[in-house]
Amino acid sequence: MHQKAYLPFLLGCLLTSQFLFAQKLSLSIGQIMQGDRFVGFLPENVFWGDDNQTIYFSWNPGMDTLRSLYKVSISGGEPQKVSAAEQRALLSGGTYTRDVSRKITERNGDLFLVDVASNSARAITQTLDRESGASFADGDTKVVFSRNNNLFVWNILDGSTSQLTDFRSGAAPAEKKPTPQEAWLTEQQLDLFEVLEWRKGQREAREKQNKLLEPDRPKTYYTGTKQLTGLDASPDLRFITFQLIKRAESKRTDVPDYVAESGFTANLPSRPKVGSPMDSQEFGIYDTERDTFYFVDPKTLPGISDKPEFLKDYHKGPEAFKPLYDKPREVNYAGPVFSEDGRALLVIRSQDNKDRWIVSLDLPTGAMRLIDRQRDEAWVGGPGIGWSGGAGNVGFLMDTRKVWYQSEETGYSHLYVADLETGEKKALTEGKFEILSARLSRDRQYFFLTANAEGPHERHFYRLSVHGGPLEKITSMAGSNEVSVSPDEKYLAIRYSYSNKPWEVYWMENRPGAPATQLTRSTTPEFNRYPWSDPQIVWFKARDGVMVPARLYRPAKPKKGGPAVIFVHGAGYTQNVHKWWASYFREFMFHHFLADNGYTVLDIDYRASEGYGREWRTAIYRHMGGKDLDDQVDGARYLVSQYGVDAKKVGIYGGSYGGFMTLMALFNAPETFRSGAALRSVTDWAHYNHGYTANILNTPVEDSIAYQRSSPINFAEGLKGDLLLLHGMVDVNVHFQDVVRLSQRLIELKKERWEFAVFPMEDHGFIEPSSWTDEYRRIFELFERTLK
């Protein structure tokens, strides 16, 4: 470890009295809150070289100021840092031809055609403009790319470049019409003077002649005030697809930065609030053969005017509920996805996210034919499907009459195939597990999948025939296997971890039963000295009979009547009960620290968490702080009944959604929780963003009931225990305003048992070890003061 990097690590350890002595195997808050500098900088962003032998990744084993790019060969040897010169020459990533002999890649805004076998590159562009979005077309003989919001095509054989579109912002220049007086004077001049009449005829004939001699150019299209995005071309280059976005006038919030480099207070631009006006979209097609533009019509989508069921709560009594809106809902478009023979798929979502339509798109007419409609009265989501944007996992099989996609039709995200001609649908996978990612092999005979088919707490890599059948498990190491497949698909680079073993890079052959070879060792000697436990995964019964999973941390010598802490993970839809190295790794270590100090810790995958299917995901619809809070309360009761925890000595803490849940717990279940620490908490959902919040609670104007019962600020009067609020002042996600508003509410309610710690230079995700240490020192002192 470098001396300069080691100094802040030592200083952090000294911030608390529990300094690490190797012979005692003890932990300190200052030590574990150093994060990567205590654990070690783990490998990230793993990818293959084109030689199918070299694996690249981001790493920092020397504890330098910044991470660096490293490489290692699967044939042996230690990882080596990639020099700046080699990085400049490295043309990583890109899009391959079908036979994987060539690829297009982008570097510094220019495009290159790479011959894979010789590793030689040919520059396609060398301009000051940025070229991007490159793909092969016309049987891999041409390259299509975007420059300045227009599409161009480069011919590989002759090196020529042609412009495919001519989109221009603003309005078309208006032809100035003469006033009646001007027209009269012109007519008089032409009547009086033969020379003027002759010259006018010459000019018009020359203009007509020049027009006949002009080369073919794409038709000009003026986008007006709308924003152009999503330019794409069909494989035969006949059809160009695009989207036009009309930006809504939404008021955005400002986040003051009081400790800016300039010495002046700076305002950081942030986001609108939920329920603000939304952008509208159009999906257009340009037929280059007919030189004409036209747009798809979303009104033809089945159910486009359907109202959601929640609106019935606001139409009781004599005012009858009407199931249809007067006009179609606004939609967002993703795609298209093209087949090699020119078919096209389009994924469309209603802006209220209650519907997703997958349609086949007839490019010559813009007509759509439904393949699959997924309707969810809560919100459409799940692995491979997404929450609001993107096409998700969808594409064509080798037989382009068949398309594949993911859907939660059965309550779990699974893989389906639909026949475009017969309309028949077939589930390729089924069961109480989820397909987390999917892609076709290059020969299109198999799917490569990541799934939790062994149970919700492990993730493995599988192969599946496109015709269905059993999943063929490739990886075998228990935990999580993040797989990158080599370009020739013979090998796997795996970023693997287990509950108490941080991420490392491995490689193996792409076949079941092949051994996995470890390539990196990243953890520090300090981290390795401590005997990190493999937390027990337990299941407890909630009040509605549902079994809820959690990770349990226990003292080495637990005492009856001891204290307990419940940790609530953030985001809502994420997973923290599993058998791999947690993204909440500081909390993982803090829970060991708490256990060393006599606490029992329960970390719950409450309702709303990821990995357990649609019913779990949407259980909080219209009531955050409902079943998810019940799970925390029932978890506390489980600790009391099963592990002898003192019911009067239970605390709770968490950040973001976990901070929100802590507030709801202290305000609405004060008999269960003696104290709690709420980090970067949402205190009023009406002040959070639209994309996340509207999915779960709709909008404040449309569904005030959901916001009233889901926002902690409305229940602050229930505070009886001790509350610690902690928040970064430059949080552009959950704004500092949230916790300031709650503080004023607590003041007006004359509440006394609360404290507020601010962190002037921290955003939503803390960065500085000093901030982490101060934050968790306060949390530990809160629990020591109130639970012991």
Side-chain angles (χ1 to χ4, degrees):
M1 187 182 293
H2 292 177
Q3 185 175 2
K4 290 184 178 179
Y6 196 67
L7 182 59
F9 170 78
L10 289 175
L11 291 174
C13 294
L14 291 168
L15 285 172
T16 67
S17 61
Q18 298 88 14
F19 182 76
L20 171 66
F21 292 97
Q23 65 273 23
K24 292 184 179 180
L25 298 175
S26 61
L27 293 172
S28 75
I29 293 176
Q31 173 192 27
I32 60 182
M33 292 304 153
Q34 297 301 302
D36 293 332
R37 295 198 174 275
F38 170 60
V39 176
F41 285 86
L42 309 180
E44 298 176 351
N45 304 323
V46 180
F47 65 93
W48 282 92
D50 291 329
D51 62 359
N52 298 293
Q53 296 293 306
T54 308
I55 299 173
Y56 295 87
F57 50 93
S58 169
W59 205 28
N60 186 14
M63 298 289 177
D64 295 329
T65 303
L66 298 175
R67 285 175 168 270
S68 298
L69 183 66
Y70 279 73
K71 67 178 181 179
V72 64
S73 173
I74 64 175
S75 61
E78 294 296 315
Q80 301 294 321
K81 184 184 289 190
V82 180
S83 68
E86 187 177 349
Q87 284 191 61
R88 284 194 298 270
L90 182 64
L91 294 168
S92 60
T95 302
Y96 289 89
T97 54
R98 280 296 308 279
D99 61 5
V100 202
S101 63
R102 293 180 294 184
K103 72 173 186 178
I104 323 159
T105 190
E106 182 246 335
R107 186 178 65 196
N108 299 325
D110 288 317
L111 301 177
F112 296 84
L113 179 68
V114 179
D115 181 84
V116 173
S118 64
N119 195 32
S120 59
R122 175 184 176 188
I124 298 174
T125 63
Q126 288 181 305
T127 68
L128 296 178
D129 293 320
R130 175 169 289 277
E131 289 85 22
S132 61
S135 61
F136 288 101
D138 203 7
D140 292 343
T141 63
K142 296 175 181 176
V143 174
V144 180
F145 61 91
S146 176
R147 175 196 293 156
N148 293 331
N149 270 343
N150 275 295
L151 283 186
F152 295 78
V153 60
W154 180 71
N155 191 308
I156 296 175
L157 300 178
D158 62 20
S160 62
T161 299
S162 304
Q163 187 166 339
L164 294 177
T165 64
D166 185 19
F167 287 100
R168 305 184 188 187
S169 60
E175 183 180 352
K176 185 179 178 182
K177 293 183 179 181
T179 65
Q181 179 196 27
E182 292 169 340
W184 187 91
L185 289 173
T186 299
E187 186 177 354
Q188 183 197 41
Q189 291 290 91
L190 295 173
D191 286 343
L192 288 174
F193 305 106
E194 290 184 3
V195 172
L196 288 178
E197 178 70 23
W198 171 254
R199 290 179 179 177
K200 178 176 180 290
Q202 276 188 318
R203 183 179 70 250
E204 291 175 345
R206 189 179 300 112
E207 289 173 354
K208 187 175 181 180
Q209 183 182 60
N210 289 341
K211 194 166 186 65
L212 291 173
L213 297 175
E214 285 180 357
D216 289 336
R217 301 292 188 194
K219 187 175 184 178
T220 302
Y221 189 96
Y222 290 90
T223 61
T225 59
K226 298 174 183 177
Q227 180 179 329
L228 176 70
T229 187
L231 274 173
D232 208 346
S234 61
D236 63 1
L237 303 180
R238 174 180 169 180
F239 299 100
I240 309 298
T241 62
F242 60 95
Q243 295 176 41
L244 295 178
I245 300 177
K246 183 179 180 181
R247 294 298 182 191
E249 295 183 4
S250 301
K251 185 174 182 178
R252 307 182 77 86
T253 54
D254 289 325
V255 175
D257 180 1
Y258 292 101
V259 193
E261 188 174 321
S262 67
F264 293 89
T265 299
N267 280 330
L268 306 178
S270 189
R271 52 165 173 78
K273 299 188 178 186
V274 59
S276 298
M278 296 186 67
D279 301 339
S280 60
Q281 293 188 11
E282 298 173 87
F283 187 91
I285 302 171
Y286 171 40
D287 185 342
T288 60
E289 192 174 283
R290 294 184 293 155
D291 206 24
T292 185
F293 289 84
Y294 43 98
F295 291 82
V296 303
D297 184 2
K299 293 195 297 293
T300 63
L301 294 170
I304 186 62
S305 297
D306 289 357
K307 286 182 179 179
E309 293 289 324
F310 80 85
L311 290 175
K312 290 181 179 179
D313 286 353
Y314 300 93
H315 291 272
K316 296 179 178 178
E319 185 181 358
F321 173 74
K322 298 178 181 178
L324 300 179
Y325 288 108
D326 293 334
K327 62 179 183 178
R329 288 173 289 164
E330 293 286 342
V331 298
N332 295 331
Y333 300 92
V337 177
F338 292 110
S339 68
E340 291 182 351
D341 58 359
R343 298 177 189 260
L345 301 176
L346 195 59
V347 179
I348 307 173
R349 291 175 182 262
S350 58
Q351 281 195 352
D352 62 9
N353 211 12
K354 309 294 185 189
D355 276 287
R356 180 200 69 173
W357 298 269
I358 301 176
V359 299
S360 62
L361 177 63
D362 184 63
L363 292 167
T365 65
M368 297 180 292
R369 180 182 176 188
L370 182 68
I371 297 171
D372 180 75
R373 177 190 179 191
Q374 183 173 329
R375 170 76 174 183
D376 197 317
E377 285 296 338
W379 71 94
V380 174
I385 300 165
W387 276 41
S388 57
N393 285 335
V394 61
F396 289 91
L397 297 183
M398 178 71 80
D399 179 354
T400 60
R401 295 170 300 177
K402 295 181 179 180
V403 300
W404 65 275
Y405 61 94
Q406 283 185 241
S407 171
E408 280 189 323
E409 183 176 330
T410 62
Y412 292 84
S413 182
H414 280 293
L415 204 59
Y416 293 81
V417 167
D419 190 304
L420 295 180
E421 294 185 356
T422 66
E424 179 185 358
K425 299 177 187 177
K426 176 184 177 182
L428 297 184
T429 59
E430 60 182 357
K432 292 185 177 181
F433 65 91
E434 296 190 306
I435 302 299
L436 304 171
S437 66
R439 75 169 182 85
L440 278 174
S441 60
R442 293 199 181 277
D443 62 10
R444 302 192 184 184
Q445 298 303 307
Y446 297 93
F447 287 102
F448 292 136
L449 308 173
T450 298
N452 57 5
E454 312 304 309
H457 305 131
E458 291 190 33
R459 294 180 174 180
H460 286 278
F461 184 74
Y462 301 84
R463 190 172 74 165
L464 174 70
S465 168
V466 294
H467 305 294
L471 289 173
E472 187 178 22
K473 184 181 173 186
I474 306 296
T475 55
S476 59
M477 296 182 290
S480 181
N481 298 264
E482 296 180 355
V483 171
S484 174
V485 183
S486 63
D488 64 6
E489 300 183 343
K490 293 180 180 179
Y491 307 108
L492 306 180
I494 307 171
R495 200 174 84 110
Y496 166 78
S497 73
Y498 188 67
S499 304
N500 55 358
K501 298 176 182 178
W503 298 99
E504 300 288 3
V505 176
Y506 293 70
W507 82 274
M508 63 179 286
E509 294 179 17
N510 188 5
R511 60 178 176 83
T517 301
Q518 186 172 346
L519 299 174
T520 61
R521 284 173 173 79
S522 308
T523 51
T524 67
E526 293 79 11
F527 175 85
N528 293 335
R529 287 193 187 106
Y530 184 85
W532 303 102
S533 67
D534 178 5
Q536 180 185 359
I537 295 179
V538 299
W539 295 78
F540 64 87
K541 183 178 287 188
R543 64 193 64 188
D544 59 359
V546 172
M547 298 301 294
V548 178
R551 292 212 289 190
L552 181 68
Y553 302 78
R554 294 279 279 159
K557 296 180 180 180
K559 297 179 180 179
K560 186 174 182 178
V565 170
I566 289 180
F567 171 66
V568 189
H569 67 68
Y573 189 68
T574 194
Q575 186 176 2
N576 205 44
V577 178
H578 47 59
K579 295 181 180 179
W580 60 86
W581 187 246
S583 58
Y584 289 94
F585 68 95
R586 290 181 180 85
E587 289 77 3
F588 170 85
M589 295 188 291
F590 182 59
H591 297 161
H592 280 80
F593 173 79
L594 289 176
D596 287 348
N597 283 273
Y599 293 84
T600 295
V601 182
L602 194 67
D603 172 4
I604 303 170
D605 266 354
Y606 50 89
R607 249 68 72 88
S609 298
E610 180 185 6
Y612 304 93
R614 186 262 173 198
E615 293 300 318
W616 205 272
R617 175 177 68 81
T618 61
I620 58 170
Y621 177 58
R622 299 191 70 208
H623 193 183
M624 295 173 170
K627 289 184 179 180
D628 46 355
L629 176 57
D630 290 344
D631 290 344
Q632 316 302 325
V633 174
D634 294 341
R637 293 173 179 170
Y638 168 76
L639 293 180
V640 172
S641 65
Q642 296 297 314
Y643 296 97
V645 165
D646 189 334
K648 297 180 180 179
K649 296 180 180 179
V650 180
I652 187 170
Y653 88 103
S656 194
Y657 196 98
F660 148 75
M661 187 58 59
T662 297
L663 295 175
M664 293 295 270
L666 290 184
F667 296 167
N668 289 337
E671 71 287 347
T672 301
F673 299 102
R674 173 65 181 80
S675 60
L679 295 65
R680 48 193 177 275
S681 316
V682 176
T683 68
D684 186 343
W685 288 108
H687 289 258
Y688 196 49
N689 68 36
H690 187 93
Y692 179 93
T693 318
N695 280 332
I696 305 171
L697 300 180
N698 304 306
T699 65
V701 173
E702 287 185 311
D703 200 356
S704 58
I705 295 172
Y707 283 82
Q708 171 63 33
R709 64 190 177 196
S710 298
S711 296
I713 199 167
N714 299 322
F715 303 99
E717 192 166 355
L719 178 63
K720 294 179 181 178
D722 289 74
L723 169 63
L724 173 62
L725 300 170
L726 308 108
H727 213 108
M729 295 183 74
V730 288
D731 191 333
V732 295
N733 182 8
V734 179
H735 297 158
F736 188 63
Q737 179 195 28
D738 257 49
V739 75
V740 171
R741 293 177 71 245
L742 177 61
S743 298
Q744 180 61 28
R745 180 66 178 149
L746 293 171
I747 291 169
E748 293 182 7
L749 290 170
K750 298 181 175 58
K751 297 294 179 179
E752 298 179 356
R753 297 171 64 174
W754 64 283
E755 296 178 345
F756 186 9
V758 301
F759 299 85
M761 299 186 69
E762 295 293 356
D763 197 344
H764 194 64
F766 280 23
I767 296 175
E768 301 302 327
S770 57
S771 299
W772 279 103
T773 302
D774 185 83
E775 183 177 46
Y776 275 77
R777 173 186 60 80
R778 294 175 187 273
I779 295 170
F780 179 60
E781 289 176 353
L782 169 72
F783 292 146
E784 287 284 277
R785 185 175 71 251
T786 60
L787 303 182
K788 283 190 172 180

